[in-house]
Amino acid sequence: MGTRTFRTAVVRTPGGPDAIEIIDVPEREPGPGEVRVDVAAAPVNPADLGVVGGFFHSLGLIRQPHHTGLGWDFAGVVAAAGPGVDLAVGTRVAGLVGGFDRDFGTYAEQLVVPVADLAVVPDDLDLVAAATVPLNGLTAAQIVDLLGEPPAGGRLLVTGAAGAVGGYVVPLARDRGWRVTGLARAEDEEFVRGLGADFTTAAEPGWDAVADAAVLQDRGLVLVGDGGVFVGVRPNAHPAAERDVTVRAVEVHADGVRLADLLARTAAGELPARVHAVVPLDRVADAHREAAKGGVRGRYVLRP
């Protein structure tokens, strides 16, 4: 009997969507504390476009000798459990595979991952919708942690407030006690206000804090008042501190407990889950081309 294999999408030499290959790799059994998940859905995220285009290779963050796996978050069904795992086969789960320098990703028919990195998907949340939560939701939650506790009446500006990460930062920061204003395009006003934030299309300096989901970088730092806080999304390249502004950058990591709360709130309608289209894994290059065009607020989600 031959070795069982599964399909996964990878890049050997980055060069845009045409560089994506779907290859067969050997199936492996989960070890202690691990589960094997049959993947039902895996979103296309901007970070994936950067990997395929070579941006993160150029920064020295990827050094894989053979190929680089694509995809960060996923939802699926537990197919096998390793020793010491108290999670039944058939359980619906979602999770995050972090970091850039890895030979596997979530654009795959299956994954072996630590059970601690997973959260059970609520019964009333579709797996496709659930798959869009881990990367963006956890990034936003960890941004809010880095912002810290707001001063009395603390005013927070969220750049890219209608985007994938910003759309989570707004409600999570409000819960933490910040007075939130979302910076976004005029056509996104209804969505941003629907999250409970004030809205603007142009911001003046003087904010107590800025959560820079739009990657404005230096242009975002200018908007922070003296002694305030700036939190960016590029840990490898954040602006230099000035005017006693505290500069931090999120480096998202898996957190099964936090993810469980985010999924429950998504199921309850408290957090947004935005799916633009579901695309077969075989059409991953097409999904990347469409995502790169921009202009849509939901995720392209791959179905293996």
Side-chain angles (χ1 to χ4, degrees):
M1 184 175 178
T3 302
R4 294 171 61 92
T5 62
F6 65 94
R7 299 189 311 149
T8 185
V10 303
V11 166
R12 298 182 201 273
T13 303
D18 290 335
I20 301 173
E21 301 177 48
I22 296 178
I23 64 173
D24 292 313
V25 296
E27 181 179 284
R28 79 172 180 90
E29 293 304 310
E34 294 181 331
V35 297
R36 188 173 72 239
V37 177
D38 287 337
V39 177
V44 174
N45 288 290
D48 300 310
L49 304 186
V51 172
V52 169
F55 176 73
F56 298 107
H57 291 76
S58 71
L59 295 177
L61 297 179
I62 297 176
R63 301 183 183 88
Q64 290 299 314
H66 302 299
H67 62 251
T68 303
L70 299 173
W72 286 66
D73 40 2
F74 67 95
V77 177
V78 174
V85 172
D86 185 21
L87 195 62
V89 170
T91 303
R92 301 185 331 137
V93 294
L96 171 72
V97 174
F100 292 99
D101 197 27
R102 48 185 164 82
D103 64 358
F104 73 100
T106 66
Y107 292 8
E109 292 176 329
Q110 59 181 242
L111 288 168
V112 173
V113 289
V115 69
D117 293 351
L118 300 178
V120 175
V121 176
D123 290 340
D124 50 353
L125 185 61
D126 176 79
L127 286 177
V128 172
T132 67
V133 175
L135 177 60
N136 298 314
L138 286 172
T139 298
Q142 291 164 21
I143 285 172
V144 173
D145 289 345
L146 291 174
L147 288 169
E149 295 305 313
R155 297 168 63 244
L156 169 68
L157 179 71
V158 179
T159 73
V165 172
Y168 284 105
V169 173
V170 169
L172 295 177
R174 285 185 63 248
D175 291 348
R176 192 65 65 90
W178 288 96
R179 292 172 51 200
V180 181
T181 297
L183 175 66
R185 300 179 303 193
E187 55 265 38
D188 292 317
E189 179 173 2
E190 182 178 357
F191 174 78
V192 173
R193 290 193 184 278
L195 298 174
D198 292 330
F199 176 82
T200 185
T201 58
E204 296 295 323
W207 301 85
D208 295 301
V210 169
D212 187 28
V215 200
L216 299 183
Q217 298 287 77
D218 289 330
R219 291 177 294 141
L221 183 65
V222 168
L223 300 174
V224 184
D226 294 355
V229 179
F230 174 93
V231 179
V233 294
R234 283 194 178 168
N236 57 299
H238 52 69
E242 60 181 48
R243 298 178 289 107
D244 292 325
V245 173
T246 299
V247 176
R248 299 175 175 139
V250 67
E251 191 163 0
V252 64
H253 56 270
D255 184 337
V257 174
R258 196 74 166 275
L259 179 57
D261 177 65
L262 293 167
L263 290 168
R265 295 189 60 184
T266 304
E270 298 172 14
L271 296 175
R274 292 178 285 173
V275 177
H276 179 71
V278 179
V279 180
L281 180 62
D282 289 332
R283 290 181 50 210
V284 57
D286 292 336
H288 268 239
R289 290 187 191 96
E290 291 302 313
K293 293 177 183 177
V296 298
R297 287 308 187 190
R299 302 256 72 80
Y300 286 88
V301 179
L302 299 172
R303 189 190 298 278

